[in-house]
């Protein structure tokens, strides 16, 4: 007790309430400081030489992957210019202080330091959000305010209106906005993928004995937005089971929090939604986790971090700094040992406004599935920032498959315009290096079927259920 | 004496209704307590229960919150109304101030447009007929329908919120002003013409006082609508305000805080209405 009531401590106010001066018990104060404490601990971890080395290696690996998606390409390039020059070019986008100063000297200071970044309060936004309390933005010399946004359509509008400098997106959104689907065509770029995996199909408890999707005719499902991986994955999953998602079931666009409320009310039978709302449905005892999207496509992208092409062109240094901050956060979020503390940092009402217990289950991958079992899936949600352009091509094939895009689509042109790999290529050119490596295409396996971005049209034609002609 | 006893009796009945309401609410929401003993459970079952937020000692609200919980939450919010923890977490006082600011601005704009135009329409039967179809079509449009249009054209979410307040509160004021002006007694206008009062003086010293009670009725209705609209608009646009607070707590699926916000919105709306009632009393005259 003396910790709380210490009349001999010069710094303590002499009153019978909390030492912070506010009218609550010291126990309440303790709960409030937990988040601060976790942030402090994470910040300390981020300042160790060990993490810095890890983070640099992580970002370097991401960049090298981005630059050389194909092994032969990488070997050829490294043989041609040598490891040293290649590393110097990559280092120019690394968050190493001295190199950063050097890069800034060469190219001028940050064009804009006060930035407004939007996010939707879901765990997908973790790196973007945690970079704020952990001071990753300020370390890059940026004064960022991360602003909670009421919905995806609003994110789109605020990006087009330039109210936000950069934002959390659903990864198909920048493609759709750039193509003018459901909005004015405004060129947008994906800088990094925020998270991979991390969604699930959640069903109402009354369906716990009806797990075969073939029997789901007439079901009503919630999805967060038309141009979302959630929509495309759910449609894919249903179509694989022989259901036509346009005629056999109803798909409704519902904000995630309302998905849980609607599930409770029995208005929908299930949803493919972002976490933490899958886990929240379990926590609130209204639903169970039927399948993780990880089991449909392991490593699928979900949300992205991006901005408008105009912003990048006007503020290249600011963008590079922002990019470094978010990559740093992704490196930290990637380490499982940090996840428990991250859950504490992003739980308060300022960020996700969710029970810490729920976030912890989502991020740690050890979770209650709603059917009485504890499951242990460490990569239930993960953070791999690499924006493979092949992923963009897949999204485009699905947009075409379900009739969001009509006519011919030049998959590769759109993918390469929107999914920015990094500005490392530009830096290489600045250093006078000839750079020939191609764009980043790789094959993916989705529900056991291989997707080869080089044969996108054949892939599209191979589906029995499809709206594409 | 008789009115006093009526007031007293009304107060007693109000109190009774209130107590019954709270009592029924309390009874309806008293369920079996969660948690309980962990005896006879395997280690995994205990861990599962913990993951569901049911470990002994943990507070987890499931279902509809009882009144005592709402009271506690209300006290917590009201005892520290002006904290500011960054752009996404501000005290309820700050949120209210944002909402009231938006409502005030939109309402003033609506006044600036509705009262002059209402005067014009009220004075001239031609204008009234000409304007009528527009007013009738625009009046019933919901604020939520205006929002996408506003966002698209005004390109600023704050301005859009104010615009929506403006566009929704302009009509009752306009219609009431027009009605009030057109209903000014012929004799008074005739007296004014006989005395050769100039038009400006006629407007301010004859028509305005005569129409003031009707105009204020319009303003009172408009203020009610504006307060209704702001909550919906802020839920859509987010950022700050009481509507954002409700949305944010909805996102958290916290019924307790939503109930608190709903009560607060009701109380503030009532205070605004009382304010206009007082103003109305001040301008009412007896013939």
């Amino acid at each position: 007790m003396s910790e709380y009531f210490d009349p001999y401590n010069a710094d303590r106010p002499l009153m019978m309430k909390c030492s912070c001066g506010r009218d609550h018990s010291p126990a309440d104060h303790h709960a409030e400081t937990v988040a601060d404490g976790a942030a402090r601990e994470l910040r300390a971890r981020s300042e160790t030489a060990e993490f810095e080395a890890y983070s640099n290696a992580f970002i370097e690996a991401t960049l090298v992957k981005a630059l050389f998606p194909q092994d032969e390409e990488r070997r050829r390039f490294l043989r041609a210019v040598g490891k040293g020059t290649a590393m110097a070019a990559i280092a120019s986008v690394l968050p190493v202080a001295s190199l950063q100063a050097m890069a800034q000297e060469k190219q001028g200071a940050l064009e804009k330091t006060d930035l407004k970044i939007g996010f939707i309060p879901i765990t997908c936004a973790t790196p973007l959000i945690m970079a704020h309390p952990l001071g990753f933005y300020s370390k890059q010399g940026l004064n960022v305010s991360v602003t909670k946004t009421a919905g995806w359509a609003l994110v789109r509008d605020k990006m087009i209106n330039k109210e936000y400098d950069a934002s959390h997106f659903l990864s198909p959104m920048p493609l759709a906005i750039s193509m003018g689907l459901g909005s004015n065509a405004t060129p947008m770029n994906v800088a990094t993928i925020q998270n991979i995996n991390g969604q699930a199909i959640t069903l109402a408890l009354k369906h716990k004995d009806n797990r075969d999707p073939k029997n789901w005719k007439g079901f009503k499902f919630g999805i967060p937005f038309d141009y979302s991986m959630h929509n495309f994955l759910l449609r894919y999953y249903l179509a694989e089971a022989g259901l036509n998602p346009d005629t056999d079931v109803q798909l409704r666009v519902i904000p995630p929090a309302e998905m849980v409320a609607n599930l409770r009310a029995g208005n929908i039978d299930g949803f493919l939604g972002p976490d933490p709302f899958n886990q929240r449905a379990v926590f609130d005892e209204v639903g169970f986790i039927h399948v993780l999207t990880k089991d449909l496509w392991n490593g699928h992208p979900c949300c992205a971090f991006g901005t408008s092409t105009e912003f990048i062109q006007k503020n290249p240094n600011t963008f590079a700094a922002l990019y470094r901050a978010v990559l740093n956060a992704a490196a930290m979020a990637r380490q499982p040992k940090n996840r428990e503390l991250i859950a504490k940092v992003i739980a308060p009402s300022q960020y996700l406004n969710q029970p810490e217990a729920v976030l912890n289950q989502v991020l740690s991958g050890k979770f209650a599935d709603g059917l009485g079992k504890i499951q242990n899936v460490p990569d239930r949600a993960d953070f791999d920032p690499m924006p493979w352009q092949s992923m963009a091509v897949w999204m485009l094939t699905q947009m075409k498959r379900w009739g969001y895009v009509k006519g011919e689509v030049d998959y590769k042109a759109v993918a390469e315009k929107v999914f920015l790999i990094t500005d490392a290529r530009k830096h290489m050119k600045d250093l006078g290096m000839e750079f020939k490596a191609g764009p980043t295409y790789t094959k993916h396996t989705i529900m056991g079927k291989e997707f080869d971005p080089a044969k996108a049209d054949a892939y599209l034609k191979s589906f029995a259920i499809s709206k594409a002609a | 004496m008789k009115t006093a006893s009526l007031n007293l009796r009304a107060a007693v009945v109000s109190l009774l209704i209130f107590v019954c309401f709270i009592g029924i609410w309390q009874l309806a929401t008293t369920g079996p307590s969660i948690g309980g003993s962990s005896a006879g459970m395997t280690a995994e079952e205990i861990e599962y229960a913990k993951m569901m937020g049911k470990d002994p000692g943990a507070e987890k609200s499931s279902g509809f919150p009882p009144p005592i919980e709402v009271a506690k939450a209300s006290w917590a919010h009201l005892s520290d109304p002006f904290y500011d923890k960054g752009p996404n977490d501000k005290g309820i006082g700050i949120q209210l101030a944002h909402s009231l600011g938006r409502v005030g601005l939109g309402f003033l704009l609506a006044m600036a447009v509705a009262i002059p135009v209402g005067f014009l329409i009220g004075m001239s039967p031609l204008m009234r007929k000409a304007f009528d179809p527009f007013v009738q079509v625009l009046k019933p449009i919901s604020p939520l329908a205006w929002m996408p249009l506003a966002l698209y054209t005004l390109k600023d979410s704050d301005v859009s919120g104010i615009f929506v307040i403006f566009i929704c509160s302009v009509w009752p004021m306009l219609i009431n002003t027009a009605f009030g002006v057109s209903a000014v007694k012929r004799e008074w206008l005739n007296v004014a013409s006989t005395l050769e009062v100039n038009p400006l003086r006629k407007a301010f010293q004859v028509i305005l006082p005569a129409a003031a009670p009707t105009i204020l009725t319009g303003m009172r209705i408009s203020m009610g609508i504006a307060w209704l609209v702001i909550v919906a608009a802020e839920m859509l646009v987010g950022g700050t305000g009481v509507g954002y607070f409700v949305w944010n707590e909805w996102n958290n699926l916290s019924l307790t805080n939503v109930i608190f916000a709903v009560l607060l919105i009701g109380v503030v709306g009532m205070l605004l209405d009382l304010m206009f009632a007082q103003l109305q009393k001040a301008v009412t005259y007896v013939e």
Side-chain angles (χ1 to χ4, degrees):
Chain A
M1 270 297 116
S2 62
E3 190 198 328
Y4 298 129
F5 306 112
D6 187 356
Y8 303 104
N9 184 336
D11 298 325
R12 283 273 162 101
L14 199 54
M15 54 174 108
M16 291 308 209
K17 36 175 159 178
C18 180
S19 63
C20 71
R22 280 171 47 189
D23 190 15
H24 55 199
S25 71
D28 283 345
H29 183 79
H30 174 72
E32 275 182 26
T33 50
V34 162
D36 292 339
R40 217 174 303 125
E41 166 68 22
L42 280 175
R43 215 175 300 138
R45 279 189 200 176
S46 78
E47 276 154 11
T48 58
E50 189 194 344
F51 175 75
E52 223 150 88
Y54 168 83
S55 171
N56 286 346
F58 174 82
I59 294 173
E60 200 163 333
T62 307
L63 293 186
V64 172
K65 255 203 302 185
L67 289 164
F68 313 103
Q70 284 96 19
D71 256 355
E72 328 109 58
E73 203 84 57
R74 195 193 75 232
R75 292 200 189 99
R76 206 177 326 133
F77 185 75
L78 287 182
R79 262 187 232 115
V81 303
K83 190 182 167 199
T85 2
M87 277 178 72
I90 289 162
S92 61
V93 288
L94 281 188
V96 184
S98 57
L99 286 170
Q100 188 190 328
M102 204 174 72
Q104 283 182 9
E105 216 174 286
K106 192 167 164 268
Q107 302 179 347
L110 300 173
E111 297 86 0
K112 190 173 181 192
T113 50
D114 287 324
L115 299 178
K116 219 170 161 191
I117 297 182
F119 74 94
I120 299 283
I122 50 180
T123 44
C124 302
T126 301
L128 192 68
I129 298 171
M130 64 186 263
H132 186 251
L134 297 190
F136 288 178
Y137 293 121
S138 49
K139 226 184 264 173
Q140 300 289 341
L142 298 171
N143 178 22
V144 167
S145 77
V146 286
T147 309
K148 205 185 283 188
T149 314
W152 290 113
L154 197 67
V155 164
R156 176 196 63 202
D157 290 346
K158 288 195 170 189
M159 276 309 292
I160 293 178
N161 293 348
K162 299 189 190 122
E163 275 185 60
Y164 289 157
D165 296 295
S167 178
H168 172 207
F169 281 116
L170 291 158
S171 48
M173 275 172 70
L175 292 169
I177 300 174
S178 299
M179 291 162 80
L181 303 173
S183 67
N184 264 5
T186 312
M188 293 282 160
N189 283 120
V190 168
T192 72
I193 295 294
Q194 278 284 291
N195 73 314
I196 58 169
N197 300 337
Q199 337 300 321
I201 297 178
T202 300
L203 292 182
L205 278 180
K206 66 179 175 207
H207 295 304
K208 71 176 167 201
D209 298 319
N210 182 13
R211 300 284 296 271
D212 187 351
K214 289 191 177 70
N215 305 329
W216 291 357
K217 209 166 176 173
F219 271 34
K220 300 184 197 93
F221 288 100
I223 50 168
F225 198 65
D226 272 342
Y227 301 102
S228 66
M229 285 303 287
H230 310 84
N231 183 17
F232 299 153
L233 285 172
L234 181 60
R235 281 168 177 268
Y236 195 105
Y237 181 76
L238 294 170
E240 288 296 289
L243 294 179
N244 184 334
D246 283 311
T247 53
D248 293 339
V249 296
Q250 222 186 81
L251 300 184
R252 295 185 186 165
V253 174
I254 311 175
E258 291 166 46
M259 288 177 182
V260 178
N262 273 301
L263 203 64
R264 189 197 299 273
N267 288 341
I268 54 174
D269 298 284
F271 60 82
L272 200 159
D275 269 317
F277 290 100
N278 299 297
Q279 200 60 47
R280 188 69 200 255
V282 172
F283 189 79
D284 284 4
E285 293 170 68
V286 295
F288 67 93
I289 293 178
H290 167 66
V291 62
L292 297 174
T293 50
K294 173 196 162 283
D295 298 330
L296 309 186
W297 173 359
N298 193 5
H300 75 80
C302 176
C303 290
F305 169 69
T307 179
S308 66
T309 312
E310 190 190 331
F311 179 84
I312 301 177
Q313 281 164 354
K314 276 193 184 156
N315 313 287
N317 294 337
T318 302
F319 175 71
L322 202 53
Y323 182 68
R324 283 190 291 260
V326 175
L327 279 187
N328 245 333
M332 179 140 248
R334 193 126 216 235
Q335 291 181 307
K337 64 169 185 187
N338 295 330
R339 298 267 178 92
E340 198 178 321
L341 290 175
I342 291 172
K344 285 192 174 75
V345 169
I346 63 175
S349 55
Q350 196 181 349
Y351 301 116
L352 295 196
N353 201 10
Q354 290 286 341
E356 186 200 318
V358 171
L359 295 182
N360 200 12
Q361 290 179 60
V362 171
L363 292 177
S364 69
K366 191 172 185 198
F367 61 94
D369 63 1
L371 295 169
K373 287 223 172 51
I374 294 175
Q375 298 206 20
N376 205 343
V377 189
D379 54 351
R380 168 179 178 173
D382 207 344
F383 304 92
D384 184 352
M386 173 66 189
W388 295 97
Q389 286 160 341
S390 42
M391 291 170 170
V393 173
W394 185 83
M395 292 171 206
L396 290 169
T397 61
Q398 299 305 302
M399 286 188 201
K400 203 169 160 191
R401 178 179 180 186
W402 304 116
Y404 293 103
V405 206
K406 304 245 171 5
E408 283 302 303
V409 180
D410 188 347
Y411 299 109
K412 293 195 167 173
V414 178
E416 284 161 31
K417 214 191 296 167
V418 177
F419 273 46
L420 265 199
I421 293 305
T422 75
D423 50 352
R425 290 172 190 220
K426 191 175 84 58
H427 286 269
M428 288 195 143
K429 286 220 178 88
D430 288 348
L431 291 172
M433 272 181 289
E434 193 56 35
F435 185 76
K436 282 201 196 104
T440 60
Y441 294 108
T442 182
K443 290 178 185 173
H444 301 286
T445 306
I446 299 139
M447 287 191 79
K449 186 167 170 171
E450 190 182 70
F451 166 63
D452 181 354
K455 296 173 192 142
D457 266 319
Y459 177 76
L460 183 55
K461 283 203 186 84
S462 71
F463 294 113
I465 298 174
S466 164
K467 269 186 174 174
Chain B
M1 182 64 205
K2 192 154 185 243
T3 51
S5 82
L6 180 69
N7 281 344
L8 194 71
R9 279 182 296 162
V12 168
V13 174
S14 289
L15 199 70
L16 264 175
I17 294 172
F18 180 73
V19 168
C20 282
F21 174 70
I22 295 285
I24 291 168
W25 181 1
Q26 175 69 45
L27 281 177
T29 50
T30 322
S33 68
I34 46 167
S37 84
S38 52
M41 285 164 89
T42 65
E44 189 177 334
E45 279 169 343
I46 293 170
E47 196 181 358
Y48 188 85
K50 276 189 184 166
M51 282 181 166
M52 300 295 283
K54 286 181 185 166
D55 47 332
E59 271 182 54
K60 177 190 170 191
S61 56
S62 63
F64 205 82
I68 186 76
E69 233 176 84
V70 176
K72 266 193 218 156
S74 307
W75 176 245
H77 285 295
L78 292 175
S79 63
D80 186 16
F82 296 109
Y83 70 86
D84 188 347
K85 293 186 198 155
N88 306 314
D89 189 13
K90 296 183 201 295
I92 192 72
I94 297 180
Q95 308 280 30
L96 259 182
H98 275 280
S99 294
L100 286 172
R102 282 194 192 118
V103 164
L105 210 57
F107 189 76
L108 283 178
L109 279 175
M111 257 171 76
V113 171
I115 293 178
V117 175
F119 250 81
L120 181 72
I121 296 176
M123 308 268 256
S124 140
L126 170 76
M127 287 312 228
R128 185 165 55 208
K129 283 222 153 74
F131 266 93
D132 192 56
F134 297 103
V135 175
Q136 295 308 328
V137 168
L138 292 173
K139 194 177 59 161
I141 298 174
S142 145
L144 301 186
W146 284 111
M147 197 45 109
L149 283 179
L151 276 174
Y152 188 87
T153 48
L154 300 172
K155 300 202 180 299
D156 185 293
S157 51
D158 242 349
V159 178
S160 301
I162 294 168
F163 166 78
V164 169
I165 297 287
F166 163 78
I167 199 77
C168 290
S169 56
V170 82
W171 310 117
M173 265 194 269
L174 187 78
I175 294 166
N176 272 280
T177 308
F179 173 73
V181 169
S182 67
V184 174
K185 281 197 175 158
R186 275 289 122 202
E187 301 95 80
W188 297 355
L189 293 176
N190 290 342
V191 170
S193 336
T194 327
L195 295 174
E196 290 184 4
V197 175
N198 72 36
L200 206 65
R201 200 166 160 208
K202 186 170 91 178
F204 276 96
Q205 290 201 325
V206 181
I207 300 176
L208 190 63
T214 336
I215 295 175
L216 260 162
T217 309
M219 286 166 68
R220 193 173 167 186
I221 298 169
S222 280
M223 184 46 89
I225 290 178
W227 191 243
L228 272 181
V229 165
I230 193 68
V231 175
E234 284 171 346
M235 279 183 89
L236 221 64
V237 176
T240 46
V242 180
Y244 169 78
F245 180 85
V246 174
W247 172 80
N248 196 19
E249 291 308 332
W250 185 6
N251 214 42
N252 181 23
L253 298 166
S254 161
L255 283 183
T256 320
N257 285 335
V258 170
I259 293 170
F260 161 69
V262 164
L263 290 176
L264 189 72
I265 291 166
V267 170
V268 173
M270 183 184 78
L271 291 178
L272 286 173
D273 194 65
L274 278 179
M275 203 175 80
F276 275 91
Q278 288 302 317
L279 275 177
Q280 214 175 350
K281 232 185 229 170
V283 297
T284 305
Y285 54 90
V286 186
E287 271 178 52

